[in-house]
Each structure stands twice: as structure tokens, then as C-alpha cells.
Amino acid sequence: MPININDIINNSKKFNKPAASRGGSSSYSFGIVNSEGNGKRISLSKALAEKLDVHDLENNTHVYVAISEEDRVVIISKSEVLSHGYNCKLSKSGEKRISYNADVVHGITDAFSLPFNTRTSMSFSNIEFDKAPDGTDVAYVHLDEDDIKRATA
């Protein structure tokens, strides 16, 4: 069943902050690091950053990240339509784009019960794309049980 961006946006959950085409290639990936020693961050592969038009880091590049527990996806876009989600400023790390945002890492970890008790990082490549109402690309990173099993294998 195709994912409808308006349904996702209407159903996405923004966690309380403390005080479609399928990307069939593994070149599209979304990573999460959640560790005491190595920090908490999300990463976008070069291909994913280019697809979302955030690879060029001019003009304070950022993405919005929203979470839909019901649809088991993380939604990423630079579109203002997701501005109710987490605002993640991007920086460069090699070819990847990363955001040191502990709130979004905790939000994703809690929403999908990611098993960071046995590891410090996970990478997901089951990603679909759509357009926001303003024409901006939107990525849907799937985190269903099979995706989590693949990421922890």
C-alpha cells in the first residue's frame, strides 16, 4: 500500500524534547549512532543527502525528521511541511551528512525499541521517496521488525 505523505504528517508523533519510489540501492542509507562513548547522531548517506537536496552544506542546511510509530517509518525532508518534527542541522563527515541531535536519536530509539543495549549503531536502507506538497523530496525510512533484524544482523 503506498504511503501518503499527508497521512504520515497528520499521524506523525513529535516526542517531547527534554528541558514514492523505492530507493532500491543500498547507496541510500540512514544511520543512527546511540552510545555513551561515541555520541548520539543520525547520518544520511551521500546518495540520500543528494536525493533530499541537502548534500551542499551552504546556507545552514538542515532537515526535519518526523516519526510515525503507526506506519513504522522515520520521515526526512527539508520541506517546511515537516517543521513540527525535529529540526536537525547537518554537518559533513566524509561523504555523509550528520546531525548530532540526541533528542531525535532517543525519539527513534524509543519509538521502535531499537536494541542499542547490544550495539552502538544501525543502518537502514529500506527507503521510499515521495514529494511534499511544495514539491520537495521526502524520504520514508522503514523500521519494521524485518528492517531492524537486517540492521542488527
Side-chain angles (χ1 to χ4, degrees), residues 48-98:
L48 181 56
E50 287 174 344
K51 175 75 173 168
L52 295 176
D53 193 27
V54 295
H55 193 261
D56 179 8
L57 291 177
E58 301 297 320
N59 304 321
N60 277 334
T61 302
H62 66 275
V63 292
Y64 295 104
V65 177
I67 299 166
S68 175
E69 289 179 78
E70 182 179 332
D71 295 297
R72 299 204 55 88
V73 295
V74 173
I75 309 127
I76 308 166
S77 181
K78 71 176 190 177
S79 174
E80 293 287 328
V81 76
L82 288 180
S83 63
H84 67 284
Y86 297 96
N87 186 346
C88 300
K89 185 174 180 185
L90 297 174
S91 58
K92 185 176 181 178
S93 177
E95 292 295 315
K96 294 180 182 179
R97 298 301 173 255
I98 59 173

Side-chain angles (χ1 to χ4, degrees), residues 2-56:
I3 296 172
N4 180 311
I5 188 169
N6 294 319
D7 291 342
I8 297 280
I9 292 167
N10 292 334
N11 294 325
S12 67
K13 176 180 180 184
K14 179 181 177 187
F15 287 81
N16 294 326
K17 294 185 178 182
S21 64
R22 181 170 302 275
S25 168
S26 63
S27 63
Y28 292 116
S29 68
F30 173 75
I32 306 168
V33 173
N34 186 351
S35 75
E36 294 305 316
N38 293 315
K40 297 174 187 334
R41 63 186 175 273
I42 60 169
S43 65
L44 310 178
S45 66
K46 177 182 179 183
L48 181 56
E50 287 174 344
K51 175 75 173 168
L52 295 176
D53 193 27
V54 295
H55 193 261
D56 179 8

Side-chain angles (χ1 to χ4, degrees), residues 67-149:
I67 299 166
S68 175
E69 289 179 78
E70 182 179 332
D71 295 297
R72 299 204 55 88
V73 295
V74 173
I75 309 127
I76 308 166
S77 181
K78 71 176 190 177
S79 174
E80 293 287 328
V81 76
L82 288 180
S83 63
H84 67 284
Y86 297 96
N87 186 346
C88 300
K89 185 174 180 185
L90 297 174
S91 58
K92 185 176 181 178
S93 177
E95 292 295 315
K96 294 180 182 179
R97 298 301 173 255
I98 59 173
S99 178
Y100 291 93
N101 187 319
D103 292 333
V104 74
V105 170
H106 287 296
I108 295 168
T109 299
D110 293 346
F112 303 108
S113 301
L114 298 180
F116 282 110
N117 56 331
T118 59
R119 61 186 340 98
T120 59
S121 66
M122 293 183 194
S123 183
F124 299 91
S125 59
N126 184 3
I127 301 173
E128 292 182 306
F129 298 95
D130 198 355
K131 296 279 186 188
D134 64 5
T136 305
D137 284 305
V138 177
Y140 299 95
V141 182
H142 293 268
L143 280 87
D144 64 25
E145 289 181 25
D146 289 339
D147 296 310
I148 293 169
K149 283 180 188 174

